Amino acid sequence: MTTDRRFPVRLDLRHGTVDMSHGAGGRAMAQLIAEVFQAHLDNELLRQGNDQALFTPPPGRLVMSTDGHVVSPLFFPGGDIGCLSVHGTINDVAMAGARPLYLAAGFILEEGFALQDLVRIVASMAAAANAAGVPVVTGDTKVVERGKGDGVFITTTGVGVVPAGVTISGDLARPGDAILVSGSLGDHGVAVLSRRENLGFEVEIASDTAALHGLVAAMVAAVPDLHCLRDPTRGGLATTLNELAHQSGVGMRIRESAIPVHPAVAAACELLGLDPLYVANEGKLIAICPAARAAELLAVMRAHPLGAAASLIGEVVADPHRFVQMETTFGGSRIVDWLAGEQLPRIC
């Protein structure tokens, strides 16, 4: 029996399911929050128990980002929607060169969702947040009727602080700059697809989901005049480079031979008719820096576990059309355009 007098009977976390009362604002909702969310995400600020978290930010410019997570399936090789919701928002904050401080999490649960799966997701979020040193300090839970959701949707919001002297933005790429990626592409998207479609490959492909702020901190410390950072999630490398080219008013040239892709991912993409340049990633970043600092930055990235397979893949060029072009392994050239349509639905 629970020691909390409000709840004479504990939740059945093994066989129970979410019902409408868990979102109604009463005793059942309080019990769900206490026995699932607070039990796993507990920290000093969350323990305040208010509708907001009160904290004193350190000196510096504040950064804020929010992201909705709707991945299907919820659990996949190398991760799940829980750790993904933590990593995704931490990374979005870190791409400004910021140190992530805190997260907020909002849950939309469907009536009938298994409490056992909810506990697994929240425990995964807690493990990811603890490992990253970025706690979830406030949140919200809503329940929708059966058939009006898809199990669970999670929205996370993060705040962080940028140190003085660091200015990193998508509109700062300049002709002559170097373009680097931190590692192999397409792992996350192929991992999710393999579980969704029950595909078996000779080598299991696991998601690359990870929090990148430690890698970013090392990069910024070594090369504070970094121009751009971006994590190539939905739309992959190709779409992200087009976004940056459009923001900065430049073109980009990349070399296919320099772009790292695991052989297993390349084989899976060939089998499935996918282009790894457009497949989502959740633990990789693109960096654009002055060409004179590229070798130094590449060495710093490769010295970090999350950048061991980093590569210099191209350069920024002057181009009023803002095209991204790729030198192919056959010696030709092709335009790498924005993602058209939807290669992989519900990926992050």
Side-chain angles (χ1 to χ4, degrees):
M1 298 287 287
T2 178
T3 57
D4 193 323
R5 289 188 175 184
R6 294 176 298 170
F7 318 129
V9 179
R10 292 184 65 89
L11 287 174
D12 182 356
L13 298 180
R14 182 179 295 272
H15 304 293
T17 61
V18 172
D19 62 46
M20 294 304 297
S21 68
H22 289 132
R27 190 188 304 271
M29 184 171 178
Q31 184 173 18
L32 181 74
I33 291 171
E35 295 185 14
V36 175
F37 296 107
Q38 289 178 336
H40 291 279
L41 299 172
D42 182 55
N43 59 73
E44 182 179 357
L45 292 179
L46 190 65
R47 235 174 282 139
Q48 292 174 358
N50 297 317
D51 287 337
Q52 67 284 319
L54 181 65
F55 57 87
T56 302
R61 292 161 294 154
L62 290 178
V63 172
M64 182 176 179
S65 181
T66 193
D67 203 356
H69 303 273
V70 295
V71 64
S72 176
L74 300 175
F75 306 97
F76 46 83
D80 54 66
I81 193 173
C83 66
L84 189 68
S85 68
V86 170
H87 294 154
T89 296
I90 285 176
N91 292 346
D92 285 344
V93 170
M95 292 307 110
R99 174 167 66 91
L101 299 173
Y102 304 111
L103 294 171
F107 293 80
I108 297 179
L109 307 175
E110 184 182 9
E111 179 186 16
F113 188 68
L115 289 175
Q116 178 177 252
D117 286 341
L118 180 60
V119 169
R120 183 179 170 188
I121 289 167
V122 176
S124 177
M125 290 183 71
N130 290 338
V134 185
V136 178
V137 298
T138 189
D140 184 55
T141 304
K142 295 291 188 294
V143 179
V144 297
E145 293 89 344
R146 192 185 302 270
K148 294 189 176 180
D150 194 5
V152 57
F153 299 151
I154 304 174
T155 296
T156 44
T157 298
V159 294
V161 62
V162 179
V166 174
T167 301
I168 297 172
S169 176
D171 61 354
L172 295 179
R174 297 292 180 261
D177 283 354
I179 306 169
L180 302 90
V181 295
S182 63
S184 60
L185 302 178
D187 300 39
H188 173 72
V190 173
V192 172
L193 181 65
S194 68
R195 181 55 52 89
R196 181 187 299 162
E197 304 297 337
N198 293 316
L199 300 175
F201 300 111
E202 187 173 335
V203 176
E204 182 177 70
I205 299 169
S207 171
D208 61 346
T209 181
L212 296 170
H213 58 307
L215 172 61
V216 169
M219 294 167 63
V220 170
V223 184
D225 54 341
L226 265 169
H227 288 166
C228 307
L229 289 172
R230 190 69 58 88
D231 53 336
T233 53
R234 283 171 297 174
L237 174 70
T239 297
T240 304
L241 289 180
N242 275 281
E243 290 174 353
L244 293 171
H246 180 78
Q247 279 185 263
S248 293
V250 296
M252 297 189 183
R253 294 186 185 275
I254 58 176
R255 294 176 293 279
E256 186 176 18
S257 60
I259 298 171
V261 179
H262 283 311
V265 172
C269 286
E270 184 175 358
L271 176 68
L272 299 167
L274 302 175
D275 185 339
L277 296 184
Y278 294 92
V279 177
N281 313 271
E282 286 294 343
K284 301 298 189 303
L285 61 79
I286 298 167
I288 298 178
C289 72
R293 309 300 299 274
E296 181 182 2
L297 183 62
L298 184 61
V300 169
M301 294 169 73
R302 287 178 172 173
H304 192 281
L306 294 178
S311 179
L312 174 61
I313 65 167
E315 55 278 331
V316 179
V317 297
D319 182 356
H321 303 292
R322 307 180 186 186
F323 287 151
V324 177
Q325 301 182 61
M326 184 171 71
E327 178 186 310
T328 70
T329 54
F330 299 106
S333 179
R334 72 175 178 91
I335 299 293
V336 179
D337 209 347
W338 296 78
L339 175 66
E342 189 176 39
Q343 267 208 137
L344 292 171
R346 302 282 308 277
I347 211 73
C348 53

